[in-house]
Amino acid sequence: MVSIHTAVTALLLGIGLTTARADTNADAFVAHQVATQTFEADLRQVFHWSFPRKHVESLGHISYQAPGFLAIVLTNPASELVLVRGDDLYIQRDKKALAKYKLEVHNGKPTQNVQFLLSFFQNGCTNFAGLFDTTVTRADDAQTVTLRPKHPGRMFPLRSVENIIAWPSFDVRSMRIGLIWDSYITYEFHNLRRNQPLETAVFEVPTR
């Protein structure tokens, strides 16, 4: 099963890579991301796993604060937390114990997928441009970005990611992650807020 932080990471990595490559104003895009001090949005997730069959719709929220704070929270129907504080990663699913990991880079590759997401906000993810092949199509005020891993085995079970983002604001509208066995995860992003004050409590480590 793919966790929420793996899925959202793939989405935002794709937006960063393809926008930086496809648009001649790539420097402006990177500057836009560097200037992002805070970001938050509501999430609607649909998780469909073909074998064994499982179909779940969930609601959640994502929050980021520069330079190294990130919180992804699912609250309905089951709770899940992915929290980054500097080099520390905390993950808690449902009522299980809180797990803690260190964020490191080995041989140029991050040890945790959530590091791609941090990189998206920090610099447009330009430092990981070699991991995916991408195609971009544009229509009216949006563009569709499709990613396929250059080395699928390293990204298993990910097979593809299709994103729809607003143009030229770079706001995320929706995405679909294709997985093995025709499984998928879709996300819809609503009520986006950039560079607005955030509640500091959202980045606090749970006590239990």
Side-chain angles (χ1 to χ4, degrees):
M1 183 178 296
V2 176
S3 67
I4 183 174
H5 75 282
T6 301
V8 177
T9 292
L11 164 69
L12 295 181
L13 175 61
I15 295 170
L17 294 180
T18 53
T19 304
R21 287 179 169 182
D23 194 85
T24 56
N25 202 17
D27 290 342
F29 168 72
V30 174
H32 177 274
Q33 296 309 106
V34 172
T36 300
Q37 296 300 301
T38 65
F39 174 89
E40 65 174 333
D42 295 328
L43 302 175
R44 177 180 177 271
Q45 171 192 283
V46 177
F47 180 89
H48 179 85
W49 194 254
S50 297
F51 183 80
R53 184 173 176 80
K54 185 176 183 180
H55 187 92
V56 179
E57 297 188 15
S58 304
L59 301 177
H61 199 81
I62 180 173
S63 305
Y64 164 81
Q65 180 173 301
F69 290 86
L70 179 73
I72 302 172
V73 180
L74 289 179
T75 55
N76 182 25
S79 62
E80 179 178 346
L81 168 69
V82 176
L83 175 65
V84 175
R85 294 173 55 92
D87 293 331
D88 295 325
L89 168 64
Y90 303 86
I91 298 178
Q92 188 173 41
R93 294 187 176 94
D94 205 2
K95 298 180 180 180
K96 297 181 180 179
L98 183 71
K100 182 180 179 180
Y101 307 90
K102 277 293 181 182
L103 300 181
E104 300 175 322
V105 176
H106 292 161
N107 298 320
K109 184 177 181 180
T111 56
Q112 300 289 337
N113 287 322
V114 73
Q115 288 165 269
F116 288 117
L117 181 52
L118 278 175
S119 179
F120 168 81
F121 288 114
Q122 293 166 342
N123 57 40
C125 235
T126 53
N127 49 329
F128 298 116
L131 298 179
F132 292 88
D133 291 321
T134 60
T135 57
V136 181
T137 58
R138 187 179 301 172
D140 298 327
D141 63 344
Q143 63 181 7
T144 300
V145 179
T146 303
L147 295 84
R148 289 181 174 82
K150 290 185 176 181
H151 304 285
R154 299 179 186 177
M155 302 295 289
F156 183 87
L158 181 67
R159 288 293 180 263
S160 65
V161 182
E162 183 178 280
N163 319 292
I164 298 178
I165 60 174
W167 180 262
S169 67
F170 306 116
D171 289 339
V172 185
R173 290 184 177 177
S174 65
M175 55 88 78
R176 184 185 190 281
I177 298 176
L179 306 170
I180 59 172
W181 305 325
D182 294 324
S183 302
Y184 62 85
I185 303 175
T186 61
Y187 283 92
E188 296 175 358
F189 294 79
H190 303 282
N191 303 320
L192 281 68
R193 288 163 46 91
R194 179 176 177 268
N195 290 341
Q196 299 295 319
L198 298 178
E199 294 289 340
T200 57
V202 73
F203 301 112
E204 293 180 357
V205 179
T207 57
R208 59 183 179 86

